Amino acid sequence: MSGRRNILITVGFVLSISLISSALTAMMMFHYDSRLQFNLLNTVCGEVLEQDPQAEKIISAALKEYTGGNADGTARKDVLSVWGYRIADFSHSLHWTGDLAVAAGVLAGFCLLLVTLLYRNKKESMRIQGLAEYLEQANMGKAVILSTTGEDDFSKLEDEIYKTVTFLYQTKEAAVQAKNDFAENLSNIAHQIKTPITAISLSLQTMQRDNSNNKVEQIQKQLLRLSHLEEALLVLSRLDSGTLILQREEVDVFTVLVLASDNLQELLTATGTSVDIPELGGMAITVDLDWTMEAVMNLMKNCMEHNPGGTIHCAYEQNPLYTEIRIWDEGAGFLKEDMPYLFERFYRGRNAHEGGIGIGLALAKEILKRQNGTIRATNKQGAGACFEIRLYSH
């Protein structure tokens, strides 16, 4: 509310109280005046009767004619009361007019006071609603500069809210900038790695022509490892910077698992590992098919590396809250000391596969997290390592 509105509210309060006070004062004065008239007439009638007792009938008849009352006594000192007259009887013509005037004044005062209070409450409600809407816009990142609406009780609160929102925006921008810088640096590192990979690749081709098979095999392993590292770093940098856009669509869980297994078929065949994917009925999930398949492939690959020649088992179920996918092997399972760190980037456990870079599980977790999902690792009783994925519906 502006200063002008505050003045209007103050004037409304003053007028309301003034009207009510005036009406009550008028009522008191009216009754006081009526009592004076009654006492005066009482005194006059008493004096007349003392001088001429025979005038009683004349006075009584005159009073009855004036007021419509009935005489029922002959006392001399308080003649009018003895005769049955009251104060109101001598102000009969003004009585109802005065009462109506007083009632009208009081009613008008209360109405004006009520209107003033309602007006003030409405303005305060609008003010609170405006600040609440501003905070909602701030939460959605759409807040604009608060416009000045004048000095009132909410001005200090408005200033503090604006300062807080501005500080939060600045903090957010700084955090986003730091994140972008980190992602850019990570991307630069990945691109820098690409140069020696290319050089190694060219050297490998030269050595292949010279039939240096021993060294060729070693270089091929290192080259493959560097290639995987470069690809993983580029994906992680895109995830960190938010430039990796996930195209979510409705797909069947069975389809995701089968496609992931098919993409690993060459590795599975080479190690003699099989994948058991039962058909448990249609269960739709809303995810990015390619990247979710990538996450599942990393989990299957982990199971294959820790139990080559065995079987990778899959199971899935759905409820109103989430869809759960379980992938486990028949190996020795995870070491207790490794379990808290399994999904950390570049972490390689004691029994990690030779040539691994420690990014697969971290990448899988990040992809699932960005699709409203979670993942945890456990040791399945009587089996081996088990991964539990939950993709939430909301």
Side-chain angles (χ1 to χ4, degrees), residues 131-199:
L131 293 175
E133 290 175 353
Y134 175 76
L135 287 176
E136 289 178 2
Q137 291 176 350
N139 288 333
M140 295 186 292
K142 300 178 181 178
V144 295
I145 297 176
L146 276 173
S147 58
T148 304
T149 56
E151 292 295 328
D152 62 5
D153 296 337
F154 292 93
S155 296
K156 183 173 177 59
L157 176 61
E158 184 180 57
D159 291 340
E160 293 302 321
I161 288 176
Y162 179 67
K163 290 177 185 176
T164 302
V165 171
T166 303
F167 175 75
L168 290 175
Y169 274 173
Q170 292 173 347
T171 304
K172 179 182 178 182
E173 288 174 0
V176 170
Q177 184 61 43
K179 186 177 181 181
N180 290 337
D181 292 342
F182 172 76
E184 185 178 354
N185 292 334
L186 193 59
S187 181
N188 290 335
I189 292 172
H191 284 295
Q192 290 297 326
I193 292 174
K194 196 170 186 177
T195 302
I197 290 177
T198 304

Side-chain angles (χ1 to χ4, degrees), residues 346-367:
F346 305 109
Y347 179 78
R348 300 182 74 247
R350 187 181 301 176
N351 297 330
H353 182 261
E354 184 182 354
I357 56 177
I359 289 183
L361 295 184
L363 184 59
K365 180 181 179 180
E366 194 67 29
I367 291 171

Side-chain angles (χ1 to χ4, degrees), residues 322-342:
Y322 57 81
T323 301
E324 184 176 82
I325 303 172
R326 295 187 301 279
I327 300 172
W328 71 93
D329 58 47
E330 299 172 340
F334 300 113
L335 295 178
K336 187 176 181 180
E337 56 268 28
D338 288 337
M339 293 188 71
Y341 312 104
L342 287 174

Side-chain angles (χ1 to χ4, degrees), residues 283-343:
M283 297 183 193
I285 52 176
T286 304
V287 294
D288 184 296
L289 176 59
D290 292 334
W291 285 109
T292 305
M293 187 174 64
E294 178 76 19
V296 173
M297 285 170 58
N298 286 335
L299 302 181
M300 288 183 174
K301 192 187 300 182
N302 188 278
C303 291
M304 178 194 70
E305 290 171 351
H306 287 84
N307 185 36
T311 302
I312 300 172
H313 300 274
C314 300
Y316 49 96
E317 58 184 328
Q318 194 172 56
N319 60 47
L321 294 179
Y322 57 81
T323 301
E324 184 176 82
I325 303 172
R326 295 187 301 279
I327 300 172
W328 71 93
D329 58 47
E330 299 172 340
F334 300 113
L335 295 178
K336 187 176 181 180
E337 56 268 28
D338 288 337
M339 293 188 71
Y341 312 104
L342 287 174
F343 296 101

Side-chain angles (χ1 to χ4, degrees), residues 84-376:
Y85 297 105
R86 296 169 300 168
I87 294 174
D89 293 334
F90 296 89
S91 57
H92 187 270
S93 60
L94 299 175
H95 180 70
W96 293 108
T97 304
D99 286 347
L100 287 174
V102 170
V106 172
L107 182 61
F110 275 116
C111 288
L112 185 56
L113 180 61
L114 181 61
V115 170
T116 303
L117 290 174
L118 290 176
Y119 176 78
R120 181 179 179 181
N121 289 340
K122 181 180 178 182
K123 293 301 177 184
E124 288 182 349
S125 298
M126 291 175 63
R127 205 69 168 88
I128 293 172
Q129 183 179 356
L131 293 175
E133 290 175 353
Y134 175 76
L135 287 176
E136 289 178 2
Q137 291 176 350
N139 288 333
M140 295 186 292
K142 300 178 181 178
V144 295
I145 297 176
L146 276 173
S147 58
T148 304
T149 56
E151 292 295 328
D152 62 5
D153 296 337
F154 292 93
S155 296
K156 183 173 177 59
L157 176 61
E158 184 180 57
D159 291 340
E160 293 302 321
I161 288 176
Y162 179 67
K163 290 177 185 176
T164 302
V165 171
T166 303
F167 175 75
L168 290 175
Y169 274 173
Q170 292 173 347
T171 304
K172 179 182 178 182
E173 288 174 0
V176 170
Q177 184 61 43
K179 186 177 181 181
N180 290 337
D181 292 342
F182 172 76
E184 185 178 354
N185 292 334
L186 193 59
S187 181
N188 290 335
I189 292 172
H191 284 295
Q192 290 297 326
I193 292 174
K194 196 170 186 177
T195 302
I197 290 177
T198 304
I200 293 173
S201 180
L202 292 173
S203 299
L204 178 62
Q205 293 174 16
T206 303
M207 295 177 72
Q208 282 177 330
R209 287 196 297 267
D210 296 339
N211 295 321
S212 302
N213 293 331
N214 233 356
K215 293 182 179 179
V216 168
E217 187 177 346
Q218 292 179 4
I219 292 176
Q220 281 180 330
K221 288 182 179 179
Q222 295 302 319
L223 182 61
L224 184 62
R225 183 178 181 184
L226 281 172
S227 297
H228 288 161
L229 177 61
E230 182 223 359
E231 292 174 2
L233 287 173
L234 284 173
V235 172
L236 288 174
S237 68
R238 292 175 65 191
L239 284 170
D240 289 337
S241 63
T243 58
L244 182 63
I245 306 301
L246 299 176
Q247 305 294 335
R248 303 181 68 175
E249 58 182 331
E250 192 172 279
V251 295
D252 189 71
V253 176
F254 181 77
T255 302
V256 174
L257 294 172
V258 169
L259 289 175
S261 175
D262 289 344
N263 278 274
L264 290 173
Q265 194 58 49
E266 187 175 340
L267 289 174
L268 294 170
T269 302
T271 59
T273 306
S274 61
V275 181
D276 175 32
I277 305 174
E279 288 192 47
L280 302 176
M283 297 183 193
I285 52 176
T286 304
V287 294
D288 184 296
L289 176 59
D290 292 334
W291 285 109
T292 305
M293 187 174 64
E294 178 76 19
V296 173
M297 285 170 58
N298 286 335
L299 302 181
M300 288 183 174
K301 192 187 300 182
N302 188 278
C303 291
M304 178 194 70
E305 290 171 351
H306 287 84
N307 185 36
T311 302
I312 300 172
H313 300 274
C314 300
Y316 49 96
E317 58 184 328
Q318 194 172 56
N319 60 47
L321 294 179
Y322 57 81
T323 301
E324 184 176 82
I325 303 172
R326 295 187 301 279
I327 300 172
W328 71 93
D329 58 47
E330 299 172 340
F334 300 113
L335 295 178
K336 187 176 181 180
E337 56 268 28
D338 288 337
M339 293 188 71
Y341 312 104
L342 287 174
F343 296 101
E344 290 186 4
R345 297 179 183 183
F346 305 109
Y347 179 78
R348 300 182 74 247
R350 187 181 301 176
N351 297 330
H353 182 261
E354 184 182 354
I357 56 177
I359 289 183
L361 295 184
L363 184 59
K365 180 181 179 180
E366 194 67 29
I367 291 171
L368 294 169
K369 179 182 176 182
R370 291 178 181 272
Q371 299 183 101
N372 200 28
T374 62
I375 182 173
R376 74 186 188 107

